[in-house]
Amino acid sequence: MIIAANFKTFKTRQETLDYYRDVKTFIEKNEITVETMIFPPATALNTFKGKTVVGVQNAYPVANGAYTGEIGLNQLKEFGIETILIGHSERRHVLGESQALMVQKFNFFKEQGFTIVYCIGEPLEVREEGNEALMAYLDAQLEGIDLNYEDLVIAYEPVWAIGTGLTPSADEVELIHTALRQKIKSPILYGGSVKVNNAKELLALNNVDGALIGSGALQSENYCRILEIAESIK
Ligand code: 13P
């Protein structure tokens, strides 16, 4: 079971340090064994010491170079970062990144041996077309991605469930995860409005191997409560 928190464009460097410390204390005190990951903004990267893996929300697929506004491998190496989110819906749909760029990032960071949390998810209009259209949409987001990569984690995050307080029903989540499981051996996380009050139901579903959480994990207390829930059902 993996419980990951995506801070998006929230939290300063100091707030991230405080969060990391709170989580570390909680994990040690409560002997939490579920895998924990956090994705702070790039400005808050640091050399963290603890069990919780710190990953980057995005990076450009180069070691360094003339790519204004981006960070590359060398900036990540400085902090020992070896985990990356690729394909988050906000990068695809808000920042307009193409599947070709996702594949380029995937291949570059795979080559570097990174753990890759690769996100997929459909917008509402696709879901409304039915399951066949939905699966075809997800398949297109997996195109060009090596699903046998050993350090791959998939995060299924329906776009319409992100930051809205809406989630698919438990049956719908299980159906999609089970369909994905037919082609993916890696852990499959669910993301999209996971909160303390729905984590138990979602994490207990077949083929849900954890969660990728935004707003519901922005407070370290909430993240820790979700860790406790995950620990109780893993
Ligand atoms: P919310 O948990 O705020 O819906 O965000 C989910 C997400 O995008 C995590 O990557």
Side-chain angles (χ1 to χ4, degrees):
M1 179 89 75
I2 300 171
I3 304 296
N6 175 7
F7 292 178
K8 307 190 179 186
T9 317
F10 294 98
K11 295 204 186 293
T12 61
R13 190 175 193 77
Q14 186 58 48
E15 286 164 350
T16 302
L17 281 168
D18 293 345
Y19 187 105
Y20 195 90
R21 185 206 52 225
D22 292 351
V23 169
K24 184 172 190 278
T25 306
F26 182 86
I27 288 175
E28 286 168 4
K29 191 161 156 227
N30 296 281
E31 298 177 359
I32 298 291
T33 61
V34 302
E35 283 182 61
T36 51
M37 282 181 190
I38 65 166
F39 294 89
T43 53
L45 295 181
N46 230 314
T47 41
F48 296 90
K49 291 199 173 57
K51 264 180 53 183
T52 300
V53 169
V54 176
V56 71
Q57 295 173 19
N58 176 52
Y60 206 65
V62 291
N64 54 36
Y67 301 97
T68 301
E70 296 288 330
I71 58 171
L73 181 67
N74 289 0
Q75 286 79 38
L76 302 182
K77 275 188 173 166
E78 184 180 13
F79 299 110
I81 303 295
E82 294 176 330
T83 300
I84 184 167
L85 273 185
I86 295 180
H88 192 277
S89 103
E90 286 144 19
R91 298 217 61 92
R92 292 181 190 268
H93 298 286
V94 180
L95 295 154
E97 293 189 357
S98 66
Q99 183 61 18
L101 182 56
M102 299 309 149
V103 171
Q104 215 185 320
K105 290 184 185 185
F106 182 91
N107 288 338
F108 181 84
F109 287 102
K110 173 188 159 194
E111 191 68 28
Q112 302 299 328
F114 270 50
T115 297
I116 297 175
V117 180
Y118 185 80
C119 307
I120 56 175
E122 81 291 353
L124 189 58
E125 62 271 20
V126 173
R127 170 159 291 252
E128 284 170 348
E129 280 176 51
N131 283 339
E132 210 173 303
L134 196 167
M135 288 314 297
Y137 190 91
L138 300 184
D139 279 345
Q141 293 185 320
L142 293 169
E143 218 169 276
I145 302 301
D146 175 8
L147 298 179
N148 295 316
Y149 178 48
E150 57 182 8
D151 292 313
L152 172 66
V153 176
I154 294 287
Y156 168 59
E157 302 200 297
V159 179
W160 54 275
I162 295 178
T164 58
L166 303 171
T167 60
S169 70
D171 284 351
E172 286 166 336
V173 172
E174 196 166 87
L175 186 84
I176 305 298
H177 279 241
T178 303
L180 290 170
R181 173 64 68 223
Q182 311 313 309
K183 50 193 144 208
I184 299 167
K185 296 187 301 292
S186 314
I188 307 173
L189 315 184
Y190 169 77
S193 296
V194 177
K195 312 274 179 210
V196 171
N197 61 13
N198 63 11
K200 188 166 187 174
E201 184 184 23
L202 290 163
L203 292 172
L205 298 172
N206 286 324
N207 296 313
V208 173
D209 305 310
L212 177 58
I213 314 165
S215 41
L218 269 184
Q219 310 294 328
S220 58
E221 309 85 81
N222 290 340
Y223 183 70
C224 291
R225 283 175 69 195
I226 296 173
L227 291 185
E228 214 167 24
I229 293 165
E231 191 71 25
S232 74
I233 59 177
K234 77 170 192 309

